[in-house]
Every structure is written in structure tokens, then in C-alpha cells.
Amino acid sequence: MSLEFHPEPLGELRRTHRCGDLRRENAGEEVVLMGWVHRRRDLGGLIFLDLRDRQGLTQCVLNQATVPQAFAKAQVLRNEFVVALRGRVAERSAETRNPNLPTGDIEVQVEELRILNTARPLPLQVAEEQNVEEGLRMQYRYLDLRRPVMAQNLALRHRLAKATRDYLDSQGFYEVETPILVASTPEGARDYLVPSRTRPGHFYALPQSPQLYKQILMVSGIDRYFQLARCFRDEDLRADRQPEFTQIDLEMSFVGREDVLALVEGLMGHVFREGLGLEIPAHFRRLSHAAALDSYGSDKPDLRIDMRLHDVSELVDGCGFGVFQSALEEGSRVKALVVPGQAGASRKEQDALKELAVAAGLPGLFFLARAADGLKSSLMKFLGPEKALEICRVLGAEVGDLVVLAAGPRATLNAALGRLRLEFARRYDLFPQDRFEFLWVLDFPLYSWNDEENRLEAEHHPFTSPLPEDAGMLESEPLKVRAAAYDLVLNGNELASGSIRIHQREMQEKVLANIGLSVEQAREKFGFLLDAFEFGAPPHGGVAVGFDRMVALCAGETSIREVIAFPKNANAVDMMSGAPVLVDPEQLDVLKLKLQPRD
């Protein structure tokens, strides 16, 4: 048969099963399968095809002696040809079964084959896992998505989305869609803007969050709202950032913090059970924001490893070591952490770690190894064996462990040791696999100080309520005010963020005034919300869960691009479609826009 072949029509054939469905109990049944040729093996009088669809693979066999016409067609098949076939399910012999494949106990003996479409030589392989340059994968995303791992990621995404909707529906939530074309926000520098044709010179913004609309829904009496919201932010991209992203957005009326936390814990339990078949704890650990920074050097600590930061200032005070003594006299602190099993770290490794510490803002690192043959450290002549052993005891360092010490101002010291803690865990492979550690971080500061602009700014967003016991300090000591805010951390990733909201106009205007918005500016930007608060706004709170990030963590992926069907690259470009693109001058004329020449 000539290798030139014209595709055939589907005709009356209709699929009876998907390629991952068939099992031993289907033996003897006549079936029709459709999909892509994953692999083809020609053994002379027999041709074996691995037929693939999104569900899986099925081995199909064509025998030249029994189906010569179908066999002749199969000789022209190449990877990614689209075919339909009719045949009979047969049980494989014991020695030919594939235990690594759900359909590995059977094969389909083909009686009829139709080639529905051909495929050009592939720019990237679907059947084999290869280290393909990401730009090529993005350019040919329709091929990349055929790879089994990507199909599995999208299937997982679907299951997690469905589990989310099912659970929130069971808890009395309404799914409500909020606008995509909205007014620009105070963070407008990061907004994507859309020009208005009907109001020249005016612009919509694409929402960074449905925040204001979901609060308005609470004022409207909806009581419990959610949506899988599409959000947009024009910012520099990282592995866990995209210009357009999805969040599980929800809001509840007549609730306090504990109600929201319990709801999210129930949601996570249901989603992980239905999506992954995993049971997670019913309640998550909790830390205050201050305690998280002090114990782990991060407001999103990865609790798969312990490795706490311990303040040993009192233990080393008076030891005579100049670096420690100078730091303590200046009001700084000395902290330590334990790296399990690394007492044998070489001088070269220790020097490399010291370089990391200096890059993180510390004057250096100091080591105390609890080796099998005794304590070893350049600090021994200052600490002495008793003090060194006491440090090991207080920190819980066992034989074989390495104690790492550093000195510096508290904030710098915490942040630097927090980064080093993660680097130690990566370098020495201390992160356990397939483990999910959730943590609530509570009591964030309501404000932080912006040194560049010399003003207060909201730590989360300006609609977060202060803790009632701190509200009296809003005017006198605003940086001491804690927020009724909470973040959910999973394996060192900020998975969700939320708060109890302000629901009274006077309080909202106070909080906005502290970040530099006058009453007039507040009314210009948020007048509709402020007005709504005067018509019976209930107490309310909510949270937004990073859905893309949650799927990536569940899939074991380090980048959310691996769980989004059509992501942008690091320059916010869609490599497949070419977006963003130049537009015709006529379109700009309609919008009353004119492009400035580049400098």
C-alpha cells in the first residue's frame, strides 16, 4: 500500500469505550475505540498499536492473516495519527500482561480500522518523556497537552474544581459571577486596562480580585457566595504567578474568624478526599504572624521539616566570642537551628553555606557538630564543652546533627535563617515526599511601612478589619494594630488569604485615611461600597484560595504553568497564539487611541 493516504470519514462508527476503560471482564465483547496512535510496533505479520485518549492506553493488534485490509492501512500509521477501530476484546497471555497499565490484562483484536486524520512529523514527542524547552512546549501546547502527565494534570484540576463546587453547594453557598470589566483599584499600576469605545478616554480594568463585589453581595443579603474567579494582575512572573489566574473566592455573612477557618478546613478535607483520595487532619496547626517569623523566619513556613529557629542569646552571653558579644551589646540576637544528620559536613560545604548567609545579610555562620566522637566547633574555646552540650540539649540536637548559629538584628536574622533553613532542606534532601502540612498564620499587622513612599500601606488590603482589641490604636499607634486576617499555608506556599471585613463606614474611612486617602478620595474610589455600608451591612468575612497553586501542589508540580491549559510565558506572552499582538490602526481610531512612538 502507498504511504500516501487520505483521511476517511467517521461514518456510522461510534465509540463504545474509552482507551482506559477495558478490563479482563470485557473479554469477548465487540468494542469501538477512537483516539491517537501513541506507539506502533511492526512485528512482520502482526502490528501492535497503543491507542491513546485522555483516559489512558489500550493495546490493539492487527493480524495480516485475518484482517489483510486493516493490516495494510495500519502499515501507514505514524505517531499521533487519529484512528477509529472496531474489534473484540481478548485476554492477554500471562507472559504478555502489563501490570503497569490499567488495561494491561487485555488487548483488542482489530477487525476494522479507519484513519480519521494524519499527523506531520512532531516537533515534540508525546509518547516519550523528554526534557523539551518550555518555549517549544508553549508554542505547540495542543501537542504538549496530549502527553499523559498533562492530561492527568487537567483531569486532576477538573476533579478539584468539581469537589470545590460540590462542597460549597452543600454548605449553602450560591455561585455568583462578578464583573470582569470593573473600575481600576488603588493598586492600579498592576491593572490590565481596557479602553471604552462608548466613553472615549475612559478605561475599564480587569479585576485583580472580586473583593468589592463580593462584599456588596453580602450587603445584598446573598449570605454565602463563591465562584472560581478569573483574576488578572500585570506583574513580573514567577513559577507561581501568571497574569491571569483562578482563585476559589468566597464570602460569608454573620461570621467571625473561627467560622471561616472551620469552613476552609472542611473544604480542604473534602477536596483532598475527592480529588486525591487522601485524608488530611480535620483541623490545621496555627501560629501568629509574629511567632511564625520568630520560629521559622517566614510568614509562610514549610512545616514538612521542623528545624525551628531558637534564640540562644542568653546561653552564649558572656562566652567571650566577639561576634556574639558585639551583637548582643548592640541589641541584636543570636539564634541557632539544627540540621539533622549533617555533623559530617565538610569545610567546603560549610564555607558555601557561609557565603549564602553573607548574601542574606548576615556577617557569617558558625557551626557546632555533635559527632559520634564528640563536639566539634571553632567556638569550643569560647563555649566550653558544658555550654556547647547545653546548647545541643536545648535545641534537641542528637549525635550526627549539625547546629548552625548566627547573630544579627532580629528581623534580618529571622529572614536570613528562614531562607537558609529552606536551603538546608533542599540541599540535604530533607523534605518528605507526598506529605501535606497545612498551617494557619494569624494576627498579621494591619499596616506595614513603605520606606520608598514614606507612608503606611495595608498589609493585606484596606478592607480588612482590625482586631477589636487593637482598634483603639488606629490613630495613635497604627503599626501596632493587628488585623483580623489569616493566611493558609501549605508546604511553605501561601495557599489562601482572607480576613474579617470592615462593615461600618466610619471604621472604613479611618483605615483608608491611614493609608493616605482623604474622605473625598475614598468616596471617589469606593463611594458605592461606603454608601452600601449605610444601608444595613452585616458583619462578614471571606477568603480566596489560589486554585492554580492548589492544583500544582496536589499534582506535585513546581510551576502552576503545568496545571493551566494555556499559560503565558515569563514575558506574559502566549507562545501559541502570539498574544499580545499589534492591532489595526482602524481599531485604535474607533477607540480614540493613538500610540506614542517608542523612545
Side-chain angles (χ1 to χ4, degrees):
M1 180 179 219
S2 168
L3 290 183
E4 290 295 328
F5 189 83
H6 295 290
E8 303 172 89
L10 181 61
E12 77 290 348
L13 279 185
R14 293 296 179 269
R15 181 167 52 186
T16 62
H17 297 78
R18 295 189 183 274
C19 293
D21 289 344
L22 298 174
R23 300 294 186 269
R24 193 182 304 178
E25 51 268 28
N26 298 111
E29 294 179 16
E30 183 177 87
V31 298
V32 176
L33 300 180
M34 300 180 186
W36 287 262
V37 176
H38 194 66
R39 291 187 187 89
R40 172 184 171 275
R41 303 182 300 281
D42 191 336
L43 303 185
L46 295 175
I47 292 178
F48 290 88
L49 304 177
D50 288 339
L51 192 65
R52 185 197 74 247
D53 62 14
R54 73 177 193 187
Q55 200 85 4
L57 293 171
T58 298
Q59 177 173 285
C60 305
V61 59
L62 297 99
N63 189 323
Q64 185 177 23
T66 57
V67 285
Q69 286 188 320
F71 184 89
K73 287 184 185 179
Q75 288 183 304
V76 308
L77 293 178
R78 297 293 180 267
N79 285 2
E80 300 310 303
F81 276 34
V82 184
V83 303
L85 56 85
R86 180 177 56 80
R88 199 162 296 276
V89 181
E91 196 170 338
R92 292 201 212 181
S93 61
E95 65 273 13
T96 63
R97 289 176 186 156
N98 184 350
N100 299 317
L101 203 62
T103 59
D105 289 337
I106 60 92
E107 63 187 16
V108 173
Q109 296 175 345
V110 178
E111 298 171 2
E112 180 183 359
L113 174 68
R114 295 187 190 181
I115 301 177
L116 304 178
N117 216 339
T118 59
R120 289 162 41 191
L122 302 176
L124 59 90
Q125 293 303 310
V126 174
E128 308 296 336
E129 285 298 324
Q130 295 180 326
N131 187 18
V132 180
E133 192 269 321
E134 188 177 52
L136 190 65
R137 291 179 55 206
M138 298 297 105
Q139 182 181 354
Y140 295 97
R141 191 61 164 179
Y142 43 85
L143 294 179
D144 192 49
L145 290 176
R146 291 184 195 174
R147 296 191 302 121
V149 65
M150 295 302 295
Q152 291 163 13
N153 284 351
L154 290 187
L156 174 63
R157 186 183 180 100
H158 164 72
R159 292 199 303 274
L160 298 181
K162 182 178 184 303
T164 296
R165 286 190 164 96
D166 289 346
Y167 181 79
L168 294 176
D169 177 69
S170 76
Q171 299 299 307
F173 284 77
Y174 286 175
E175 184 170 7
V176 182
E177 296 172 341
T178 53
I180 293 296
L181 297 175
V182 302
S184 187
T185 65
E187 299 85 7
R190 296 179 179 180
D191 280 345
Y192 281 101
L193 299 178
V194 179
S196 169
R197 179 185 59 82
T198 57
R199 298 188 68 189
H202 292 69
F203 294 82
Y204 302 103
L206 302 183
Q208 296 186 37
S209 162
Q211 181 64 45
L212 300 182
Y213 286 97
K214 66 179 179 179
Q215 289 192 248
I216 290 292
L217 286 172
M218 296 304 99
V219 181
S220 305
I222 296 302
D223 194 78
R224 291 191 164 202
Y225 137 93
F226 89 97
Q227 67 174 318
L228 267 67
R230 300 289 287 162
C231 302
F232 307 84
R233 183 170 293 186
D234 187 5
E235 63 182 357
D236 294 334
L237 304 188
R238 305 193 303 268
D240 60 349
R241 291 277 191 259
Q242 279 284 297
E244 50 184 316
F245 54 95
T246 303
Q247 64 188 35
I248 303 170
D249 199 61
L250 61 90
E251 199 79 5
M252 308 160 65
S253 292
F254 305 108
V255 295
R257 183 181 74 182
E258 294 303 315
D259 304 294
V260 181
L261 268 54
L263 185 281
V264 174
E265 288 171 346
L267 171 63
M268 291 296 109
H270 181 81
V271 165
F272 273 69
R273 186 180 309 114
E274 297 299 315
L276 291 178
L278 291 179
E279 292 293 335
I280 61 175
H283 303 291
F284 305 151
R285 286 192 270 180
R286 300 182 179 194
L287 281 174
S288 71
H289 178 261
L293 293 178
D294 208 44
S295 296
Y296 298 100
S298 171
D299 59 5
K300 49 181 181 181
D302 192 332
L303 296 189
R304 288 177 297 170
I305 50 171
D306 186 18
M307 291 176 63
R308 298 170 183 251
L309 313 185
H310 297 264
D311 194 321
V312 294
S313 300
E314 283 69 29
L315 286 173
V316 302
D317 192 11
C319 72
F321 182 51
V323 173
F324 291 172
Q325 286 305 127
S326 297
L328 294 175
E329 288 168 7
E330 293 169 0
S332 294
R333 308 300 291 173
V334 180
K335 285 197 163 188
L337 60 86
V338 177
V339 185
Q342 296 305 315
S346 67
R347 177 63 61 87
K348 183 178 179 181
E349 287 179 284
Q350 292 184 9
D351 288 344
L353 296 173
K354 287 178 181 178
E355 290 179 10
L356 291 174
V358 171
L362 295 178
L365 283 184
F366 306 93
F367 302 94
L368 171 60
R370 190 172 186 183
D373 56 348
L375 296 168
K376 298 180 179 181
S377 174
S378 60
L379 299 173
M380 289 300 292
K381 61 183 176 182
F382 301 103
L383 296 175
E386 287 188 13
K387 184 68 70 175
L389 192 60
E390 186 180 0
I391 290 173
C392 290
R393 181 183 58 78
V394 170
L395 271 62
E398 299 178 352
V399 173
D401 293 345
L402 179 68
V403 177
V404 180
L405 302 97
R410 185 184 293 273
T412 302
L413 184 60
N414 285 340
L417 287 180
R419 288 195 291 272
L420 288 170
R421 174 181 177 270
L422 297 178
E423 179 58 31
F424 292 149
R426 282 190 288 267
R427 184 167 293 205
Y428 300 121
D429 197 23
L430 300 178
F431 287 119
Q433 299 301 311
D434 301 321
R435 181 171 162 188
F436 296 98
E437 287 292 341
F438 290 88
L439 170 71
W440 284 114
V441 179
L442 310 174
D443 299 341
F444 282 80
L446 186 66
Y447 298 110
S448 57
W449 184 256
N450 187 320
D451 287 321
E452 291 183 6
E453 300 181 16
N454 196 35
R455 67 175 182 88
L456 292 172
E457 61 184 11
E459 178 76 12
H460 273 66
H461 57 61
F463 312 107
T464 295
S465 175
L467 288 178
E469 59 267 36
D470 291 359
M473 296 187 290
L474 270 174
E475 295 179 5
S476 59
E477 298 180 284
L479 284 171
K480 290 186 178 181
V481 178
R482 292 168 298 166
Y486 33 83
D487 279 4
L488 181 60
V489 177
L490 175 57
N491 293 359
N493 297 269
E494 180 193 315
L495 185 62
S497 186
S499 66
I500 299 302
R501 321 299 187 189
I502 298 168
H503 67 284
Q504 296 167 333
R505 181 170 188 144
E506 182 181 1
M507 176 62 75
Q508 186 64 79
E509 288 179 340
K510 281 184 182 179
V511 169
L512 292 173
N514 276 349
I515 62 172
L517 288 181
S518 67
V519 172
E520 293 74 21
Q521 290 171 319
R523 175 152 191 84
E524 179 185 352
K525 292 179 178 295
F526 310 115
F528 67 96
L529 180 68
L530 296 172
D531 288 345
F533 285 168
E534 296 188 301
F535 289 91
H540 57 280
V543 71
V545 180
F547 184 66
D548 304 308
R549 194 170 306 170
M550 182 176 76
V551 179
L553 289 169
C554 290
E557 299 286 2
T558 57
S559 169
I560 62 172
R561 289 192 289 272
E562 300 302 314
V563 297
I564 297 173
F566 301 106
K568 307 292 189 293
N569 69 7
N571 295 315
V573 172
D574 181 338
M575 297 291 288
M576 186 180 70
S577 72
V581 298
L582 295 172
V583 297
D584 292 335
E586 291 81 2
Q587 291 176 275
L588 296 177
D589 289 343
V590 169
L591 295 168
K592 305 293 192 293
L593 294 177
K594 190 172 184 178
L595 298 181
Q596 294 277 10
R598 289 184 178 179
D599 295 334

